[in-house]
Amino acid sequence: MNLAKIPRRGYLQGPTPIEPLENFSQALGGRVNFWIKRDDLLPGCGGGNKTRKLDYSFADAVAEGADTVITCGAIQSNHCRLTLGWAVKEGMECHLILEERVKGSYNPDASGNNFLFKLMGVKSLTVVPGGSDMKAEMQKLADKLSAAGRAPYVIPGGASNPIGATGYVACAQEILQQAFEMSLNFDHLVVPSGSAGTHAGILTGLAGNNAGIPVSGINVSRKKQDQEEIVFELAELTADKVGAPGAVSRRSVNCFDEYVGPGYSRPTEGMIEAVKLLATTEAILLDPVYTGKVMAGCIDLSRQGYFDSCENVLFLHTGGSPALYAYLESFR
Ligand SMILES: *Cc1c(COP(=O)(O)O)cnc(C)c1O
């Protein structure tokens, strides 16, 4: 793999930190050393994983001569917040289509990312019912904008196509380099598995380097089997793109669906415990929709002894804390 061949905008400012979670590890019994990769500290308004992907997506948009971007997400979407943020920086118009996955949950006056959409001057915001064909909705809008003389570029949900996932191939390489420099070997990596670009990119980057580090993906919406198929398919396409065809094996794709709870974005006891534990032991903010549930999985798996053969486990913190402020009731 030679990622230097693939165009990107240069949104990163060097590697994000890898920090030890000493207090947190002690709170879990001290058998395993947990570490955290701080992608919540990536540049872009509010930070988070989408910046790595959008670095590549916007490069493609610029190459195509776009002056407008369209994307989609849930009503508190971090991906929409970061796409809008980078569009502002690039001087492009940004249009968002939001899926109301939990009926009646869209509140135009809600805090969190919803507030930031308006603060950063989103050009248009369309809310559609849960289960809508988001791709078709985005295309409809793109056609309308093209007819009006704009040059729109559609970024898929979560920027999870091979272009966006390349950002997490690069992240896997970054982790390997940092671990080398720290003389540290990670025995296991825990990542979120949502629109799948993060998980697929990490798997591709590790496999393309023959790293031999197992990865556990923690689901935030889908069933295990469905999610694993989506991750594998995207990893195969991503591996083709970055020059490592066939690198990722189906066996290496492992997802847990036990921590989703009643559904996407719906709070769980485990999520609340995880958000509170990271805040009180490490002063690190997780989020209610993604990283809180992923860490709930990490905590439960640790208690079950899943990591007992590991010395060092790395948790990928993909950001999302701006959404915390839309979930205050869950924490009262
Ligand atoms: C989007 C998102 C994820 C999931 O990443 P995918 O690439 O969509 O699987 C995890 N955490 C946060 C905070 C996110 O915004």
Side-chain angles (χ1 to χ4, degrees), residues 49-50 53 78-79 158 160 192-198 287 290-291 318-320:
N49 64 341
K50 302 311 179 306
K53 301 172 172 189
N78 300 302
H79 165 68
S160 283
S193 210
S195 65
T198 301
D287 82 287
Y290 294 97
T291 54
T318 45

Side-chain angles (χ1 to χ4, degrees), residues 109-286:
D109 299 320
S111 176
N113 287 316
N114 179 70
F115 167 69
L116 300 177
F117 299 156
K118 287 164 197 173
L119 187 65
M120 286 189 280
V122 64
K123 195 71 185 175
S124 81
L125 202 157
T126 312
V127 183
V128 298
S132 297
D133 182 343
M134 300 306 282
K135 223 169 135 180
E137 293 289 341
M138 289 194 289
Q139 196 49 53
K140 220 165 58 187
L141 181 56
D143 293 344
K144 209 174 93 186
L145 291 168
S146 298
R150 305 292 307 180
Y153 180 91
V154 175
I155 298 175
S160 283
N161 56 8
I163 297 170
T166 301
Y168 271 89
V169 180
C171 179
Q173 298 200 147
E174 182 177 307
I175 290 169
L176 292 173
Q177 182 64 25
Q178 284 174 297
F180 171 73
E181 285 168 10
M182 295 164 90
S183 297
L184 188 68
N185 179 47
F186 291 115
D187 306 291
H188 207 102
L189 186 51
V190 179
V191 304
S193 210
S195 65
T198 301
H199 191 178
I202 287 280
L203 286 174
T204 305
L206 293 178
N209 282 287
N210 285 312
I213 302 175
V215 177
S216 290
I218 312 287
N219 297 2
V220 295
S221 60
R222 295 189 192 88
K223 287 287 174 204
K224 174 181 170 72
Q225 187 72 26
D226 298 344
Q227 184 69 17
E228 288 180 351
E229 291 306 326
I230 290 170
V231 171
F232 183 52
E233 198 178 307
L234 182 54
E236 284 197 301
L237 294 172
T238 305
D240 289 345
K241 179 178 169 60
V242 300
V248 180
S249 71
R250 175 64 183 81
R251 262 180 307 109
S252 68
V253 185
N254 187 25
C255 288
F256 291 86
D257 61 11
E258 291 90 336
Y259 309 102
V260 175
Y264 175 82
S265 79
R266 293 186 184 262
T268 63
E269 294 281 323
M271 176 279 285
I272 290 167
E273 184 201 6
V275 170
K276 287 183 174 171
L277 191 56
L278 254 281
T280 53
T281 58
E282 301 287 346
I284 291 175
L285 303 181
L286 299 176

Side-chain angles (χ1 to χ4, degrees), residues 2-163:
N2 177 5
L3 298 189
K5 289 181 186 167
I6 303 175
R8 65 180 194 274
R9 293 299 284 165
Y11 293 162
L12 277 59
Q13 294 164 13
T16 57
I18 291 180
E19 299 170 357
L21 293 176
E22 285 171 19
N23 301 333
F24 172 79
S25 302
Q26 281 307 317
L28 289 187
R31 293 193 307 276
V32 179
N33 303 317
F34 285 96
W35 298 75
I36 194 163
K37 171 73 171 162
R38 299 292 308 270
D39 271 12
D40 57 318
L41 301 180
L42 280 166
C45 177
N49 64 341
K50 302 311 179 306
T51 285
R52 285 195 193 269
K53 301 172 172 189
L54 294 168
D55 199 7
Y56 291 87
S57 310
F58 272 91
D60 198 45
V62 168
E64 296 211 346
D67 59 17
T68 300
V69 292
I70 301 170
T71 198
C72 68
I75 58 171
Q76 280 290 341
S77 168
N78 300 302
H79 165 68
C80 287
R81 182 234 313 148
L82 279 161
T83 302
L84 170 58
W86 288 112
V88 167
K89 295 283 275 182
E90 296 282 6
M92 293 185 191
E93 263 185 18
C94 177
H95 299 257
L96 300 176
I97 300 188
L98 304 181
E99 183 186 6
E100 192 184 38
R101 296 187 187 174
V102 178
K103 212 175 167 207
S105 63
Y106 177 69
N107 167 8
D109 299 320
S111 176
N113 287 316
N114 179 70
F115 167 69
L116 300 177
F117 299 156
K118 287 164 197 173
L119 187 65
M120 286 189 280
V122 64
K123 195 71 185 175
S124 81
L125 202 157
T126 312
V127 183
V128 298
S132 297
D133 182 343
M134 300 306 282
K135 223 169 135 180
E137 293 289 341
M138 289 194 289
Q139 196 49 53
K140 220 165 58 187
L141 181 56
D143 293 344
K144 209 174 93 186
L145 291 168
S146 298
R150 305 292 307 180
Y153 180 91
V154 175
I155 298 175
S160 283
N161 56 8
I163 297 170

